[in-house]
Amino acid sequence: MAYVDGFVIPLPKENLEAYLDMSRQCGAIWKEYGALEFRECVGDDVPPGKVTSFPLSVDLRDGEAVVFSWIVYASRAERDAINDKAMNDPRMAHFMDPKNLPFDGKRMIYGGFEMMIDL
């Protein structure tokens, strides 16, 4: 069964184009190395909650939007191999420096998930 890396990111709205540019570049690298899907979604209907919500999860601030992203791989082993290649690709060096990110990486949430159902 497939494996998924998921991300929730607080993105300053003024940095949307820079983020999409970065994502297109990174997505091309991940796809080149074998990722099956590379998706980026910007929040459109993400209401704040009192206990849990996407905005609460990333400490969303005025002028920011929630980005929900995922990358799909054939398996966990494929994910590990692809991530290793992508993260060591010289084209990624610029994005590895937190100063160059169009968002606050300290408030990003991410994790790997084993897919259980795929309809």
Side-chain angles (χ1 to χ4, degrees), residues 15 31 54 73 76 80 104:
N15 293 348
K31 295 281 289 192
F54 280 106
Y73 310 90
R76 168 72 190 266
D80 292 346
D104 181 358

Side-chain angles (χ1 to χ4, degrees), residues 44-50 52-56:
D44 179 58
D45 183 19
V46 287
K50 294 187 189 295
T52 61
S53 69
F54 280 106
L56 284 172

Side-chain angles (χ1 to χ4, degrees), residues 21-37:
D21 183 54
M22 179 194 76
S23 182
R24 285 183 191 98
Q25 292 177 60
C26 293
I29 293 168
W30 258 259
K31 295 281 289 192
E32 179 182 320
Y33 287 122
L36 303 176
E37 296 179 27

Side-chain angles (χ1 to χ4, degrees), residues 3-100:
Y3 196 82
V4 178
D5 277 339
F7 309 86
V8 181
I9 299 166
L11 177 67
K13 292 176 185 176
E14 65 190 20
N15 293 348
L16 178 60
E17 287 307 315
Y19 180 81
L20 294 175
D21 183 54
M22 179 194 76
S23 182
R24 285 183 191 98
Q25 292 177 60
C26 293
I29 293 168
W30 258 259
K31 295 281 289 192
E32 179 182 320
Y33 287 122
L36 303 176
E37 296 179 27
F38 190 98
R39 307 286 187 197
E40 294 283 0
C41 306
V42 176
D44 179 58
D45 183 19
V46 287
K50 294 187 189 295
V51 179
T52 61
S53 69
F54 280 106
L56 284 172
S57 71
V58 294
D59 186 27
L60 197 68
R61 299 173 185 163
D62 287 340
E64 293 181 333
V66 174
V67 173
F68 176 57
S69 310
W70 67 94
I71 308 171
V72 179
Y73 310 90
S75 67
R76 168 72 190 266
E78 282 288 309
R79 176 263 209 160
D80 292 346
I82 291 165
N83 278 351
D84 184 55
K85 291 174 189 171
M87 297 304 277
N88 287 296
D89 188 300
R91 295 171 290 178
M92 289 294 298
H94 177 77
F95 303 121
M96 300 308 289
D97 184 341
K99 294 182 299 202
N100 296 326

Side-chain angles (χ1 to χ4, degrees), residues 97-116:
D97 184 341
K99 294 182 299 202
N100 296 326
L101 293 176
F103 62 91
D104 181 358
K106 293 177 184 171
R107 292 188 288 138
M108 175 175 70
I109 297 170
Y110 61 93
F113 299 84
E114 184 178 346
M115 192 178 296
M116 304 303 289

